[in-house]
Amino acid sequence: LDRDEGSRTAAAASLAALPPAATLELRARLREVVRGSDRDPRVNALAALSLLRDAETLPLALELFDPLDVGQTDVAVRVLVQLTAKELPNEAGWRAWYAKHGREPRSQWLIEALDEDDARLAAYAVRELERLLGAEIPFDENGGKKERQRVQRLAQRLVAS
């Protein structure tokens, strides 16, 4: 939560390399900061949680949408995209998506993100699935819908095993 962006970036990169179990207490503390009232610490804690791929952060990000604070809203949207590999048009879209999918595990969010035609987000979803599942998932970004469906089936098998 340091005010220096370089320090925050370096700390977050180091933390992101740790296994999730090693950051349980930190993630809980950061969630409390996000629930607080001070804007800058809230935004910085939210950004750190997204780097830690903390799925419990998603509803907190929704609470940071603020039409009077574009910077805070931009961070909230970036966190939502990082967690879900989806891009939705507005707060209402994100809230509707969360109402439908919020109880699903993050792995399912990423698998479903492969339904979209955006090759950039599909590649990101695959990288995140690899990270989350600890498995290499071969993926041809130019392979189109059939390739994305193949990866979905593979990821679903990996999740089930």
Side-chain angles (χ1 to χ4, degrees):
L1 299 180
D2 195 295
R3 291 185 187 268
D4 178 66
E5 186 174 345
S7 297
R8 286 193 315 268
T9 301
S14 297
L15 290 171
L18 294 173
T23 61
L24 285 174
E25 281 185 48
L26 173 64
R27 287 184 285 136
R29 183 164 177 255
L30 288 169
R31 281 188 226 109
E32 287 304 314
V33 173
V34 173
R35 290 183 186 102
S37 60
D38 293 336
R39 181 216 186 262
D40 288 347
R42 287 178 77 189
V43 169
N44 293 340
L46 185 69
L49 283 163
S50 76
L51 291 172
L52 294 169
R53 307 310 198 266
D54 184 64
E56 292 178 47
T57 300
L58 199 141
L60 299 174
L62 290 173
E63 297 308 315
L64 266 64
F65 273 91
D66 183 347
L68 302 176
D69 189 336
V70 175
Q72 179 173 297
T73 298
D74 286 348
V75 170
V77 169
R78 187 172 66 240
V79 167
L80 293 167
V81 173
Q82 285 176 322
L83 290 173
T84 65
K86 294 190 77 63
E87 287 182 341
L88 299 174
N90 53 36
E91 179 181 1
W94 280 110
R95 289 190 181 280
W97 181 90
Y98 183 68
K100 184 175 180 181
H101 300 284
R103 296 195 189 283
E104 297 170 358
R106 182 166 182 251
S107 58
Q108 190 61 37
W109 301 345
L110 296 168
I111 290 168
E112 289 175 7
L114 293 167
D115 286 336
E116 306 296 328
D117 288 333
D118 187 321
R120 176 185 53 89
L121 285 176
Y124 174 75
V126 171
R127 288 192 309 274
E128 286 297 296
L129 283 164
E130 288 178 326
R131 184 177 185 274
L132 188 65
L133 302 174
E136 187 174 330
I137 301 174
F139 178 62
D140 176 7
E141 288 182 41
N142 301 313
K145 185 174 184 169
K146 286 186 179 187
E147 174 67 358
R148 292 191 312 273
Q149 290 172 335
R150 182 195 63 77
V151 171
Q152 282 180 313
R153 289 189 299 274
L154 173 59
Q156 286 166 341
R157 284 194 305 271
L158 289 169
V159 167
S161 64

